Amino acid sequence: MTELLNIALPKGRLGEKVYDLFEKAGFPCPSIRENSRKLIFENPEAGVRYFWVKPSDVAIYVERGAADVGVAGRDILLEYRPELYELCDLGIGKCRMAVAAPAGFRDDPRKTLRVATKFTRIAREYYASLGRDIELIHLNGSIEIAPILGLSDVIVDIVETGTTLKENNLEVIETVLPISARLIANRSSYKFRSAEIGRIVRAIAGGAE
Ligand code: PRP
């Protein structure tokens, strides 16, 4: 009997859309739609085991082989550079990494810019490419508060609808990069389970407009 294909799904706003794609690709697991606190769902007939993890942890599961495939945002892949294969852009979870500041902010190039973010590598590389001297302040969440309380001058964070920024009187001043969800695979799973993984890629890529 072949082993179940382990699929790491990102918990949260993207998760259900991602599961829909896998279901359409021929890997259904109806029990996953039952609202419960369960984190692991199996459908032996379809050969799959799904599990919900924090979006920023999907790449760790896939890199280490605990998941054969998964879905992660381009932000996570660029920030952590996990050793895995990025198979395709799913065209969902679209947003952007942006620099935001309080309305009316003006950058003084003579001063070191204080940047608060969860994404220190992305921010460092972005400002290095501009030749701008910065001080990085690593935070784990509620980044929007930092410039309001004077902890930083600007933030580098994900902007989707812009509502969070707006409600905190912040505005985008620069776009760093566009982001979307990517299908990722463990390197050895990609080699040894190529038929199943290839089926997912073809079904999903074929379904994309
Ligand atoms: C992200 C980001 C913003 C928000 C932006 O957080 O950090 O706070 O989404 O979305 P909006 O432009 O649609 O308002 P997320 O909800 O992913 O969770 P996090 O705070 O755990 O990062």
PDB file of all heavy atoms in Angstrom, residues 13 54-56 75 95-96 118-119 140-144 155-168, ligand 1:
ATOM      1  N   ARG A  13      -6.938  32.793   6.503  1.00  0.00           N
ATOM      2  CA  ARG A  13      -7.753  33.289   5.387  1.00  0.00           C
ATOM      3  C   ARG A  13      -7.539  32.584   4.054  1.00  0.00           C
ATOM      4  O   ARG A  13      -8.427  32.501   3.232  1.00  0.00           O
ATOM      5  CB  ARG A  13      -7.642  34.812   5.203  1.00  0.00           C
ATOM      6  CG  ARG A  13      -6.364  35.486   5.481  1.00  0.00           C
ATOM      7  CD  ARG A  13      -6.538  36.991   5.178  1.00  0.00           C
ATOM      8  NE  ARG A  13      -5.688  37.811   6.014  1.00  0.00           N
ATOM      9  CZ  ARG A  13      -5.576  39.121   5.894  1.00  0.00           C
ATOM     10  NH1 ARG A  13      -6.269  39.774   4.992  1.00  0.00           N
ATOM     11  NH2 ARG A  13      -4.780  39.790   6.693  1.00  0.00           N
ATOM     12  N   LYS A  54       0.372  26.868  10.935  1.00  0.00           N
ATOM     13  CA  LYS A  54       0.496  28.317  10.771  1.00  0.00           C
ATOM     14  C   LYS A  54       1.129  28.584   9.415  1.00  0.00           C
ATOM     15  O   LYS A  54       2.103  27.914   9.054  1.00  0.00           O
ATOM     16  CB  LYS A  54       1.416  28.868  11.878  1.00  0.00           C
ATOM     17  CG  LYS A  54       0.674  29.617  12.963  1.00  0.00           C
ATOM     18  CD  LYS A  54       1.663  30.245  13.907  1.00  0.00           C
ATOM     19  CE  LYS A  54       1.807  31.702  13.561  1.00  0.00           C
ATOM     20  NZ  LYS A  54       1.271  32.611  14.560  1.00  0.00           N
ATOM     21  N   PRO A  55       0.623  29.576   8.666  1.00  0.00           N
ATOM     22  CA  PRO A  55       1.160  29.823   7.323  1.00  0.00           C
ATOM     23  C   PRO A  55       2.688  29.926   7.291  1.00  0.00           C
ATOM     24  O   PRO A  55       3.331  29.406   6.379  1.00  0.00           O
ATOM     25  CB  PRO A  55       0.505  31.142   6.918  1.00  0.00           C
ATOM     26  CG  PRO A  55      -0.787  31.155   7.682  1.00  0.00           C
ATOM     27  CD  PRO A  55      -0.508  30.461   8.985  1.00  0.00           C
ATOM     28  N   SER A  56       3.254  30.553   8.331  1.00  0.00           N
ATOM     29  CA  SER A  56       4.711  30.724   8.314  1.00  0.00           C
ATOM     30  C   SER A  56       5.457  29.426   8.646  1.00  0.00           C
ATOM     31  O   SER A  56       6.676  29.374   8.528  1.00  0.00           O
ATOM     32  CB  SER A  56       5.112  31.823   9.299  1.00  0.00           C
ATOM     33  OG  SER A  56       4.518  31.577  10.557  1.00  0.00           O
ATOM     34  N   ASP A  75       6.298  35.698   0.406  1.00  0.00           N
ATOM     35  CA  ASP A  75       6.960  36.433   1.497  1.00  0.00           C
ATOM     36  C   ASP A  75       7.762  35.491   2.384  1.00  0.00           C
ATOM     37  O   ASP A  75       8.921  35.742   2.698  1.00  0.00           O
ATOM     38  CB  ASP A  75       5.922  37.218   2.322  1.00  0.00           C
ATOM     39  CG  ASP A  75       4.748  36.360   2.781  1.00  0.00           C
ATOM     40  OD1 ASP A  75       4.421  35.390   2.084  1.00  0.00           O
ATOM     41  OD2 ASP A  75       4.158  36.655   3.832  1.00  0.00           O
ATOM     42  N   CYS A  95      -1.224  39.785  -2.532  1.00  0.00           N
ATOM     43  CA  CYS A  95      -1.071  40.990  -1.727  1.00  0.00           C
ATOM     44  C   CYS A  95       0.305  41.560  -2.054  1.00  0.00           C
ATOM     45  O   CYS A  95       0.920  41.132  -3.045  1.00  0.00           O
ATOM     46  CB  CYS A  95      -1.208  40.664  -0.234  1.00  0.00           C
ATOM     47  SG  CYS A  95      -0.130  39.337   0.336  1.00  0.00           S
ATOM     48  N   ARG A  96       0.778  42.521  -1.277  1.00  0.00           N
ATOM     49  CA  ARG A  96       2.121  43.034  -1.552  1.00  0.00           C
ATOM     50  C   ARG A  96       2.856  43.331  -0.264  1.00  0.00           C
ATOM     51  O   ARG A  96       2.238  43.560   0.779  1.00  0.00           O
ATOM     52  CB  ARG A  96       2.052  44.288  -2.420  1.00  0.00           C
ATOM     53  CG  ARG A  96       1.237  45.389  -1.785  1.00  0.00           C
ATOM     54  CD  ARG A  96       1.171  46.588  -2.724  1.00  0.00           C
ATOM     55  NE  ARG A  96       0.102  47.465  -2.339  1.00  0.00           N
ATOM     56  CZ  ARG A  96       0.129  48.785  -2.485  1.00  0.00           C
ATOM     57  NH1 ARG A  96       1.174  49.368  -3.042  1.00  0.00           N
ATOM     58  NH2 ARG A  96      -0.884  49.524  -2.101  1.00  0.00           N
ATOM     59  N   LYS A 118       8.394  42.177  10.577  1.00  0.00           N
ATOM     60  CA  LYS A 118       8.573  40.754  10.841  1.00  0.00           C
ATOM     61  C   LYS A 118       9.553  40.180   9.833  1.00  0.00           C
ATOM     62  O   LYS A 118      10.131  39.139  10.018  1.00  0.00           O
ATOM     63  CB  LYS A 118       7.230  40.033  10.600  1.00  0.00           C
ATOM     64  CG  LYS A 118       6.395  39.812  11.803  1.00  0.00           C
ATOM     65  CD  LYS A 118       5.350  38.743  11.540  1.00  0.00           C
ATOM     66  CE  LYS A 118       4.149  39.321  10.842  1.00  0.00           C
ATOM     67  NZ  LYS A 118       2.941  38.473  10.948  1.00  0.00           N
ATOM     68  N   PHE A 119       9.662  40.902   8.707  1.00  0.00           N
ATOM     69  CA  PHE A 119      10.415  40.393   7.554  1.00  0.00           C
ATOM     70  C   PHE A 119      11.763  41.106   7.445  1.00  0.00           C
ATOM     71  O   PHE A 119      11.983  41.922   6.554  1.00  0.00           O
ATOM     72  CB  PHE A 119       9.590  40.581   6.282  1.00  0.00           C
ATOM     73  CG  PHE A 119       8.258  39.889   6.343  1.00  0.00           C
ATOM     74  CD1 PHE A 119       7.114  40.563   6.766  1.00  0.00           C
ATOM     75  CD2 PHE A 119       8.146  38.550   5.994  1.00  0.00           C
ATOM     76  CE1 PHE A 119       5.888  39.920   6.834  1.00  0.00           C
ATOM     77  CE2 PHE A 119       6.929  37.897   6.068  1.00  0.00           C
ATOM     78  CZ  PHE A 119       5.795  38.584   6.485  1.00  0.00           C
ATOM     79  N   ASN A 140       7.042  40.736  16.138  1.00  0.00           N
ATOM     80  CA  ASN A 140       6.337  39.508  15.760  1.00  0.00           C
ATOM     81  C   ASN A 140       4.891  39.715  15.331  1.00  0.00           C
ATOM     82  O   ASN A 140       4.239  38.795  14.858  1.00  0.00           O
ATOM     83  CB  ASN A 140       6.374  38.519  16.930  1.00  0.00           C
ATOM     84  CG  ASN A 140       7.789  38.084  17.215  1.00  0.00           C
ATOM     85  OD1 ASN A 140       8.454  37.534  16.345  1.00  0.00           O
ATOM     86  ND2 ASN A 140       8.283  38.373  18.399  1.00  0.00           N
ATOM     87  N   GLY A 141       4.365  40.907  15.509  1.00  0.00           N
ATOM     88  CA  GLY A 141       2.985  41.164  15.108  1.00  0.00           C
ATOM     89  C   GLY A 141       2.591  42.576  15.491  1.00  0.00           C
ATOM     90  O   GLY A 141       3.404  43.309  16.072  1.00  0.00           O
ATOM     91  N   SER A 142       1.368  42.964  15.132  1.00  0.00           N
ATOM     92  CA  SER A 142       0.878  44.328  15.392  1.00  0.00           C
ATOM     93  C   SER A 142       1.918  45.385  15.007  1.00  0.00           C
ATOM     94  O   SER A 142       2.128  46.365  15.724  1.00  0.00           O
ATOM     95  CB  SER A 142       0.504  44.508  16.871  1.00  0.00           C
ATOM     96  OG  SER A 142      -0.506  43.607  17.225  1.00  0.00           O
ATOM     97  N   ILE A 143       2.531  45.171  13.871  1.00  0.00           N
ATOM     98  CA  ILE A 143       3.630  46.034  13.407  1.00  0.00           C
ATOM     99  C   ILE A 143       3.164  47.482  13.252  1.00  0.00           C
ATOM    100  O   ILE A 143       3.922  48.432  13.450  1.00  0.00           O
ATOM    101  CB  ILE A 143       4.156  45.539  12.026  1.00  0.00           C
ATOM    102  CG1 ILE A 143       4.268  44.017  11.966  1.00  0.00           C
ATOM    103  CG2 ILE A 143       5.483  46.211  11.659  1.00  0.00           C
ATOM    104  CD1 ILE A 143       5.317  43.412  12.813  1.00  0.00           C
ATOM    105  N   GLU A 144       1.878  47.616  12.896  1.00  0.00           N
ATOM    106  CA  GLU A 144       1.331  48.952  12.609  1.00  0.00           C
ATOM    107  C   GLU A 144       1.484  49.925  13.778  1.00  0.00           C
ATOM    108  O   GLU A 144       1.488  51.138  13.590  1.00  0.00           O
ATOM    109  CB  GLU A 144      -0.154  48.836  12.246  1.00  0.00           C
ATOM    110  CG  GLU A 144      -0.433  48.134  10.919  1.00  0.00           C
ATOM    111  CD  GLU A 144      -0.418  46.609  11.040  1.00  0.00           C
ATOM    112  OE1 GLU A 144      -0.289  46.064  12.153  1.00  0.00           O
ATOM    113  OE2 GLU A 144      -0.514  45.958   9.968  1.00  0.00           O
ATOM    114  N   ILE A 155       7.240  51.014   8.635  1.00  0.00           N
ATOM    115  CA  ILE A 155       7.129  49.559   8.779  1.00  0.00           C
ATOM    116  C   ILE A 155       7.260  48.926   7.398  1.00  0.00           C
ATOM    117  O   ILE A 155       6.989  49.573   6.377  1.00  0.00           O
ATOM    118  CB  ILE A 155       5.780  49.121   9.414  1.00  0.00           C
ATOM    119  CG1 ILE A 155       4.581  49.510   8.522  1.00  0.00           C
ATOM    120  CG2 ILE A 155       5.627  49.706  10.806  1.00  0.00           C
ATOM    121  CD1 ILE A 155       3.248  48.919   9.003  1.00  0.00           C
ATOM    122  N   VAL A 156       7.702  47.691   7.378  1.00  0.00           N
ATOM    123  CA  VAL A 156       7.651  46.891   6.152  1.00  0.00           C
ATOM    124  C   VAL A 156       6.731  45.737   6.496  1.00  0.00           C
ATOM    125  O   VAL A 156       7.025  44.955   7.411  1.00  0.00           O
ATOM    126  CB  VAL A 156       9.053  46.395   5.725  1.00  0.00           C
ATOM    127  CG1 VAL A 156       8.941  45.345   4.631  1.00  0.00           C
ATOM    128  CG2 VAL A 156       9.908  47.563   5.250  1.00  0.00           C
ATOM    129  N   ASP A 157       5.596  45.644   5.790  1.00  0.00           N
ATOM    130  CA  ASP A 157       4.619  44.621   6.151  1.00  0.00           C
ATOM    131  C   ASP A 157       3.755  44.264   4.948  1.00  0.00           C
ATOM    132  O   ASP A 157       3.825  44.912   3.900  1.00  0.00           O
ATOM    133  CB  ASP A 157       3.740  45.129   7.308  1.00  0.00           C
ATOM    134  CG  ASP A 157       3.053  43.998   8.073  1.00  0.00           C
ATOM    135  OD1 ASP A 157       3.418  42.820   7.869  1.00  0.00           O
ATOM    136  OD2 ASP A 157       2.141  44.287   8.870  1.00  0.00           O
ATOM    137  N   ILE A 158       2.925  43.256   5.159  1.00  0.00           N
ATOM    138  CA  ILE A 158       2.020  42.822   4.099  1.00  0.00           C
ATOM    139  C   ILE A 158       0.776  43.699   4.066  1.00  0.00           C
ATOM    140  O   ILE A 158       0.189  43.990   5.108  1.00  0.00           O
ATOM    141  CB  ILE A 158       1.634  41.360   4.362  1.00  0.00           C
ATOM    142  CG1 ILE A 158       2.830  40.476   4.033  1.00  0.00           C
ATOM    143  CG2 ILE A 158       0.430  40.952   3.542  1.00  0.00           C
ATOM    144  CD1 ILE A 158       2.697  39.095   4.566  1.00  0.00           C
ATOM    145  N   VAL A 159       0.419  44.115   2.866  1.00  0.00           N
ATOM    146  CA  VAL A 159      -0.806  44.893   2.687  1.00  0.00           C
ATOM    147  C   VAL A 159      -1.687  44.134   1.711  1.00  0.00           C
ATOM    148  O   VAL A 159      -1.245  43.781   0.618  1.00  0.00           O
ATOM    149  CB  VAL A 159      -0.494  46.295   2.110  1.00  0.00           C
ATOM    150  CG1 VAL A 159      -1.782  47.087   1.938  1.00  0.00           C
ATOM    151  CG2 VAL A 159       0.477  47.032   3.013  1.00  0.00           C
ATOM    152  N   GLU A 160      -2.915  43.842   2.150  1.00  0.00           N
ATOM    153  CA  GLU A 160      -3.827  43.159   1.231  1.00  0.00           C
ATOM    154  C   GLU A 160      -4.904  44.159   0.814  1.00  0.00           C
ATOM    155  O   GLU A 160      -4.834  44.755  -0.250  1.00  0.00           O
ATOM    156  CB  GLU A 160      -4.410  41.907   1.880  1.00  0.00           C
ATOM    157  CG  GLU A 160      -5.167  41.053   0.891  1.00  0.00           C
ATOM    158  CD  GLU A 160      -5.761  39.805   1.510  1.00  0.00           C
ATOM    159  OE1 GLU A 160      -5.527  39.530   2.698  1.00  0.00           O
ATOM    160  OE2 GLU A 160      -6.491  39.104   0.787  1.00  0.00           O
ATOM    161  N   THR A 161      -5.872  44.392   1.675  1.00  0.00           N
ATOM    162  CA  THR A 161      -6.927  45.352   1.322  1.00  0.00           C
ATOM    163  C   THR A 161      -6.520  46.785   1.684  1.00  0.00           C
ATOM    164  O   THR A 161      -7.091  47.743   1.173  1.00  0.00           O
ATOM    165  CB  THR A 161      -8.214  45.025   2.105  1.00  0.00           C
ATOM    166  OG1 THR A 161      -7.913  45.122   3.509  1.00  0.00           O
ATOM    167  CG2 THR A 161      -8.719  43.637   1.795  1.00  0.00           C
ATOM    168  N   GLY A 162      -5.588  46.949   2.587  1.00  0.00           N
ATOM    169  CA  GLY A 162      -5.177  48.284   3.045  1.00  0.00           C
ATOM    170  C   GLY A 162      -5.967  48.750   4.262  1.00  0.00           C
ATOM    171  O   GLY A 162      -5.696  49.813   4.826  1.00  0.00           O
ATOM    172  N   THR A 163      -6.936  47.934   4.690  1.00  0.00           N
ATOM    173  CA  THR A 163      -7.785  48.327   5.818  1.00  0.00           C
ATOM    174  C   THR A 163      -7.002  48.528   7.112  1.00  0.00           C
ATOM    175  O   THR A 163      -7.217  49.507   7.830  1.00  0.00           O
ATOM    176  CB  THR A 163      -8.870  47.252   6.054  1.00  0.00           C
ATOM    177  OG1 THR A 163      -9.476  46.970   4.803  1.00  0.00           O
ATOM    178  CG2 THR A 163      -9.923  47.718   7.038  1.00  0.00           C
ATOM    179  N   THR A 164      -6.090  47.611   7.406  1.00  0.00           N
ATOM    180  CA  THR A 164      -5.324  47.715   8.660  1.00  0.00           C
ATOM    181  C   THR A 164      -4.532  49.016   8.696  1.00  0.00           C
ATOM    182  O   THR A 164      -4.503  49.708   9.720  1.00  0.00           O
ATOM    183  CB  THR A 164      -4.376  46.500   8.823  1.00  0.00           C
ATOM    184  OG1 THR A 164      -5.123  45.310   8.597  1.00  0.00           O
ATOM    185  CG2 THR A 164      -3.767  46.463  10.209  1.00  0.00           C
ATOM    186  N   LEU A 165      -3.908  49.365   7.585  1.00  0.00           N
ATOM    187  CA  LEU A 165      -3.134  50.619   7.540  1.00  0.00           C
ATOM    188  C   LEU A 165      -4.059  51.808   7.749  1.00  0.00           C
ATOM    189  O   LEU A 165      -3.795  52.692   8.567  1.00  0.00           O
ATOM    190  CB  LEU A 165      -2.424  50.762   6.186  1.00  0.00           C
ATOM    191  CG  LEU A 165      -1.280  49.785   5.905  1.00  0.00           C
ATOM    192  CD1 LEU A 165      -0.647  50.099   4.550  1.00  0.00           C
ATOM    193  CD2 LEU A 165      -0.230  49.841   7.007  1.00  0.00           C
ATOM    194  N   LYS A 166      -5.155  51.805   7.002  1.00  0.00           N
ATOM    195  CA  LYS A 166      -6.085  52.922   7.042  1.00  0.00           C
ATOM    196  C   LYS A 166      -6.613  53.156   8.457  1.00  0.00           C
ATOM    197  O   LYS A 166      -6.649  54.292   8.944  1.00  0.00           O
ATOM    198  CB  LYS A 166      -7.255  52.616   6.098  1.00  0.00           C
ATOM    199  CG  LYS A 166      -7.908  53.837   5.522  1.00  0.00           C
ATOM    200  CD  LYS A 166      -8.813  53.444   4.387  1.00  0.00           C
ATOM    201  CE  LYS A 166      -9.877  54.511   4.193  1.00  0.00           C
ATOM    202  NZ  LYS A 166     -11.053  53.979   3.513  1.00  0.00           N
ATOM    203  N   GLU A 167      -6.972  52.062   9.106  1.00  0.00           N
ATOM    204  CA  GLU A 167      -7.543  52.196  10.457  1.00  0.00           C
ATOM    205  C   GLU A 167      -6.520  52.640  11.494  1.00  0.00           C
ATOM    206  O   GLU A 167      -6.869  52.974  12.606  1.00  0.00           O
ATOM    207  CB  GLU A 167      -8.226  50.892  10.870  1.00  0.00           C
ATOM    208  CG  GLU A 167      -9.381  50.598   9.919  1.00  0.00           C
ATOM    209  CD  GLU A 167     -10.419  49.668  10.475  1.00  0.00           C
ATOM    210  OE1 GLU A 167     -10.159  49.019  11.497  1.00  0.00           O
ATOM    211  OE2 GLU A 167     -11.496  49.584   9.853  1.00  0.00           O
ATOM    212  N   ASN A 168      -5.257  52.634  11.104  1.00  0.00           N
ATOM    213  CA  ASN A 168      -4.213  53.086  12.018  1.00  0.00           C
ATOM    214  C   ASN A 168      -3.499  54.332  11.481  1.00  0.00           C
ATOM    215  O   ASN A 168      -2.369  54.631  11.896  1.00  0.00           O
ATOM    216  CB  ASN A 168      -3.218  51.950  12.279  1.00  0.00           C
ATOM    217  CG  ASN A 168      -3.863  50.840  13.104  1.00  0.00           C
ATOM    218  OD1 ASN A 168      -4.108  51.016  14.293  1.00  0.00           O
ATOM    219  ND2 ASN A 168      -4.186  49.730  12.478  1.00  0.00           N
TER     220      ASN A 168
HETATM  221  C1  PRP B   1      -1.327  40.893   7.785  1.00  0.00           C
HETATM  222  C2  PRP B   1      -0.479  42.152   7.965  1.00  0.00           C
HETATM  223  C3  PRP B   1      -1.478  43.224   8.265  1.00  0.00           C
HETATM  224  C4  PRP B   1      -2.730  42.735   7.567  1.00  0.00           C
HETATM  225  C5  PRP B   1      -2.953  43.510   6.306  1.00  0.00           C
HETATM  226  O1  PRP B   1      -1.508  40.263   8.985  1.00  0.00           O
HETATM  227  O2  PRP B   1       0.492  42.000   8.971  1.00  0.00           O
HETATM  228  O3  PRP B   1      -1.667  43.384   9.640  1.00  0.00           O
HETATM  229  O4  PRP B   1      -2.551  41.369   7.241  1.00  0.00           O
HETATM  230  O5  PRP B   1      -4.155  43.158   5.685  1.00  0.00           O
HETATM  231  P1  PRP B   1      -5.149  44.275   5.101  1.00  0.00           P
HETATM  232  O6  PRP B   1      -4.339  45.176   4.191  1.00  0.00           O
HETATM  233  O7  PRP B   1      -6.177  43.495   4.333  1.00  0.00           O
HETATM  234  O8  PRP B   1      -5.735  45.014   6.256  1.00  0.00           O
HETATM  235  P2  PRP B   1      -2.217  38.835   9.074  1.00  0.00           P
HETATM  236  O9  PRP B   1      -3.688  38.988   9.159  1.00  0.00           O
HETATM  237  O10 PRP B   1      -1.733  37.980   7.935  1.00  0.00           O
HETATM  238  O11 PRP B   1      -1.744  38.248  10.439  1.00  0.00           O
HETATM  239  P3  PRP B   1      -0.490  38.560  11.359  1.00  0.00           P
HETATM  240  O12 PRP B   1      -0.858  39.807  12.122  1.00  0.00           O
HETATM  241  O13 PRP B   1      -0.382  37.367  12.219  1.00  0.00           O
HETATM  242  O14 PRP B   1       0.693  38.761  10.469  1.00  0.00           O
END
